[in-house]
């Protein structure tokens, strides 16, 4: 989609965007594609697909973002969805977390170009960061990073009680079934499954709304190798 189509699709979602924000996204798209020529950030090589698959697909989270909230984006990569959301929500505070130093270097340059004041970049493994920032965030999100079971253990401990874990996924049926016990053990509760189609190409996407309803044991998150090797079971509490 081009910029005009992008704005029209946002209107359908009741998302307002001003000229300054639109210009910032244009700078973002151009810089991403230029940087991607020498550093692998995305498989997407066309600007119209950046607007569709990165920008639009990040902004579907907008209804869950509120001013003065603290948002954590785990495995942000080239800034999706966190940096895109930060542009349209300047009064909300975003921590973009990624263990890949090359992607964080890209984001450092991008944030300077865009003069964003509401973004913090963290270059560390997610489980290490979350262990030091338990119950610190109002919302945790992640887009196309890992299996839901893994993401759940990395995300729920970082949330304040009452906070939301909102991962962006494609087809979620099998992952969700395999993650239900993990969600329950870690103090989460699945509230909503929102399915939608990307405009134009009509590929399926899913938003999960998982609320952190009670304190997570201080045993979590475990080390990443343990998360990978052993799914949580109720007798592990």
């Amino acid at each position: 989609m081009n910029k005009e189509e992008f704005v029209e699709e946002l209107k359908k979602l009741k998302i307002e965007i001003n000229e300054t924000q639109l210009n910032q996204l244009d700078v973002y798209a151009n810089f991403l594609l230029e940087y991607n020529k020498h550093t692998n950030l995305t498989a997407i090589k066309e600007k119209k697909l950046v607007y569709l698959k990165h920008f639009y697909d990040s902004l579907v989270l907008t209804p869950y973002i509120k001013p003065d909230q603290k948002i954590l984006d785990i495995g942000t990569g080239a800034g999706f969805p966190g940096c895109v959301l930060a542009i349209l929500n300047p009064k909300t505070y975003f921590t973009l977390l990624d263990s890949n130093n090359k992607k964080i270097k890209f984001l450092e340059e991008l944030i300077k170009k865009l003069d964003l004041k509401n973004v913090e970049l963290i270059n560390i493994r997610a489980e290490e960061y979350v262990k030091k920032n338990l119950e610190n965030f109002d919302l945790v999100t992640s887009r196309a990073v890992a299996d839901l079971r893994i993401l759940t253990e990395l995300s729920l401990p970082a949330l304040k009680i009452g906070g939301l874990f909102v991962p962006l996924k494609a087809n979620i049926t099998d992952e969700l079934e395999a993650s239900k016990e993990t969600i329950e053990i870690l103090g989460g509760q699945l509230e909503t499954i929102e399915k939608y189609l990307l405009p134009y190409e009509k590929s399926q996407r899913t938003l999960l709304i998982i609320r952190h309803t009670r304190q997570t044991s201080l045993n979590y998150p475990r080390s990443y190798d343990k998360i990978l090797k052993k799914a949580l079971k109720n007798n592990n509490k």
Side-chain angles (χ1 to χ4, degrees), residues 26-187:
D26 199 53
V27 170
Y28 193 162
N30 290 334
F31 185 55
L32 173 68
L33 293 173
E34 186 61 32
Y35 205 95
N36 201 54
K37 291 177 181 178
H38 59 78
T39 303
N40 184 29
L41 299 171
T42 176
I44 290 173
K45 303 293 192 293
E46 298 177 65
K47 191 171 180 179
K48 64 181 181 180
L49 292 179
V50 172
Y51 274 89
L52 175 64
K53 294 194 172 186
H54 287 327
F55 293 171
Y56 178 91
D57 201 30
S58 293
L59 291 173
V60 295
L61 263 171
T62 300
Y64 298 96
I65 308 298
K66 298 179 176 61
D68 298 321
Q69 282 186 326
K70 294 174 67 177
I71 312 291
L72 174 63
D73 178 10
I74 293 178
T76 190
F80 311 120
C83 196
V84 183
L85 289 164
I87 290 170
L88 267 73
N89 297 274
K91 295 182 179 180
T92 304
Y93 306 97
F94 293 83
T95 297
L96 309 188
L97 174 65
D98 205 288
S99 61
N100 187 314
N101 184 58
K102 290 181 180 179
K103 292 176 180 178
I104 292 295
K105 290 294 185 185
F106 162 75
L107 288 172
E108 287 174 348
E109 293 188 43
L110 176 67
I111 286 167
K112 288 178 184 177
K113 283 180 175 292
L114 301 180
D115 194 29
L116 294 180
K117 307 298 186 185
N118 60 331
V119 175
E120 175 187 31
L121 301 176
I122 302 292
N123 182 207
I124 192 174
R125 293 192 62 85
E127 68 275 17
E128 295 175 27
Y129 179 78
V130 171
K131 271 290 190 184
K132 297 176 183 177
N133 291 273
L134 300 174
E135 296 187 13
N136 192 40
F137 293 91
D138 299 289
L139 186 146
V140 177
T141 188
S142 189
R143 177 176 174 266
V145 172
D147 184 271
L148 179 61
R149 180 185 66 78
I150 296 168
L151 282 176
T152 298
E153 186 164 344
L154 295 174
S155 301
L156 281 176
L159 281 167
K160 299 174 183 176
I161 304 302
L164 294 179
F165 170 39
V166 189
L168 292 89
K169 287 283 188 177
N171 192 334
I172 197 65
T173 305
D174 292 339
E175 282 189 46
L176 182 57
E177 187 61 34
S179 303
K180 285 182 176 178
E181 201 164 3
T182 297
I183 293 169
E184 194 278 327
I185 289 170
L186 297 176

Side-chain angles (χ1 to χ4, degrees), residues 4-25:
E4 292 72 24
E5 292 167 334
F6 174 71
V7 171
E8 288 304 310
E9 291 297 332
L10 290 187
K11 286 179 181 177
K12 294 176 185 178
L13 298 179
K14 296 181 170 53
I15 296 174
E16 295 182 2
I17 184 168
N18 60 41
E19 275 305 311
T20 298
Q21 293 164 342
L22 199 55
N23 289 337
Q24 286 177 307
L25 287 178

